[in-house]
Amino acid sequence: MIKFFRKFRENLVMENKTGKYLKYAIGEIALVVIGILIALSINNWNDNRKNRISERELLDNIHRDFVQNKIQFDTVKAINYQNLATLNSKIALFPIERDSAKIVAFQSYPPIQGISYNPYSSSIKSVIYSNSLELIQDEELRKYLVSWEDVLLDYQEEEIALFKFNNEQLEPYWLENADLLDRDQEMIKDLLSSIKTQNMVVARRNRINSIIKAIEEEPIEDHINEIIRLTQPKDQ
């Protein structure tokens, strides 16, 4: 085919048909341009198709992680509410006299459960730190992903404050003054009737209450729910 067009062009030049040759040349250029545009269009379409496949893979990974993150967050939330209720019930017994029946009631409550929120964040980090964020078309989702780490750290500050209190104040006090095997009832009475012990319980309640406020007032739960919603496959 190329030889045909070249031969045809040569014949026009040899026959001195300049006008026809110019028209032919323009037509040939137009065909080349059209061919290039079609090739570019096909290439762009193929690149876009690949990008959408990559985007869907990223969104599926994030969605899977945050479904699990929500399950973990709901568990952390429920345990903190339970801990707060238990401590409030104990505080309602104060003041506790040494030989009071309140000591038995205080001991009857279940122990406070220690728990922290440690969500999966590797899928988001891989998107942000590998420059894959540009593959995600949804601008609202991109904002949630970029701000997730800061939102998480803001929430975790309250948990860190609680664990610091437990490790640096509550646990050393308990190890020094309590009978962990509950063998010495007189020591237990002295411990639970102590104003310092009661202050420790109040301080622990206040720390947990700060976590509850972070759950209720800060945007972490909204972030989790919105990321799940915005990464969910459209056919679901």
Side-chain angles (χ1 to χ4, degrees), residues 1-234:
M1 182 64 71
I2 295 174
K3 289 182 178 179
F4 170 78
F5 283 114
R6 185 168 62 244
K7 186 64 176 178
F8 182 71
R9 184 171 63 250
E10 289 173 354
N11 289 337
L12 290 176
V13 173
M14 290 175 64
E15 295 173 5
N16 200 26
K17 295 180 179 180
T18 306
K20 290 184 178 181
Y21 174 74
L22 288 175
K23 291 179 181 179
Y24 167 79
I26 293 172
E28 188 174 4
I29 293 171
L31 287 174
V32 171
V33 171
I34 292 172
I36 292 173
L37 292 175
I38 292 173
L40 288 174
S41 179
I42 293 173
N43 186 61
N44 289 338
W45 175 85
N46 192 46
D47 287 344
N48 186 63
R49 181 182 64 84
K50 291 179 180 179
N51 287 340
R52 298 291 68 78
I53 292 173
S54 297
E55 179 191 26
R56 189 62 258 167
E57 290 176 352
L58 294 174
L59 296 183
D60 286 344
N61 290 336
I62 295 171
H63 185 78
R64 182 173 56 252
D65 282 356
F66 272 78
V67 167
Q68 294 303 313
N69 288 346
K70 179 173 176 56
I71 293 172
Q72 185 190 159
F73 186 80
D74 289 342
T75 300
V76 169
K77 182 177 178 180
I79 289 176
N80 276 300
Y81 273 114
Q82 180 180 325
N83 287 342
L84 182 64
T86 297
L87 290 170
N88 280 334
S89 296
K90 288 185 174 184
I91 291 170
L93 297 172
F94 295 162
I96 297 177
E97 293 77 20
R98 189 179 185 284
D99 295 316
S100 170
K102 290 181 179 180
I103 289 179
V104 176
F106 186 95
Q107 292 178 288
S108 68
Y109 288 104
I112 302 301
Q113 299 182 61
I115 190 170
S116 61
Y117 184 53
N118 299 297
Y120 296 104
S121 295
S122 59
S123 56
I124 285 185
K125 289 181 179 179
S126 67
V127 168
I128 294 175
Y129 297 124
S130 67
N131 297 321
S132 298
L133 193 64
E134 61 187 22
L135 290 174
I136 297 177
Q137 296 177 296
D138 191 320
E139 185 66 28
E140 183 181 10
L141 174 59
R142 290 169 66 170
K143 291 178 180 178
Y144 276 108
L145 297 181
V146 169
S147 60
W148 165 248
E149 189 170 354
D150 288 337
V151 169
L152 176 61
L153 290 174
D154 286 343
Y155 166 77
Q156 289 178 330
E157 284 181 357
E158 301 301 338
E159 288 190 342
I160 291 171
L162 171 63
F163 293 134
K164 185 176 181 180
F165 167 77
N166 288 344
N167 293 332
E168 296 181 4
Q169 297 184 54
L170 185 62
E171 185 174 350
Y173 176 76
W174 224 249
L175 290 173
E176 182 178 348
N177 296 281
D179 176 10
L180 300 182
L181 297 179
D182 292 337
R183 295 166 300 186
D184 190 334
Q185 292 302 310
E186 296 303 313
M187 178 180 286
I188 293 173
K189 291 179 181 179
D190 289 339
L191 177 67
L192 297 185
S193 60
S194 165
I195 293 298
K196 187 171 183 179
T197 297
Q198 295 175 30
N199 287 340
M200 284 285 185
V201 175
V202 172
R204 193 179 194 186
R205 188 276 311 274
N206 292 344
R207 294 295 185 188
I208 292 178
N209 195 46
S210 294
I211 294 176
I212 295 296
K213 286 184 177 180
I215 290 172
E216 295 177 342
E217 299 175 6
E218 294 183 10
I220 183 167
E221 189 166 19
D222 176 69
H223 261 63
I224 295 170
N225 292 333
E226 285 303 297
I227 289 173
I228 290 174
R229 181 181 69 84
L230 293 170
T231 56
Q232 185 167 307
K234 301 303 181 183

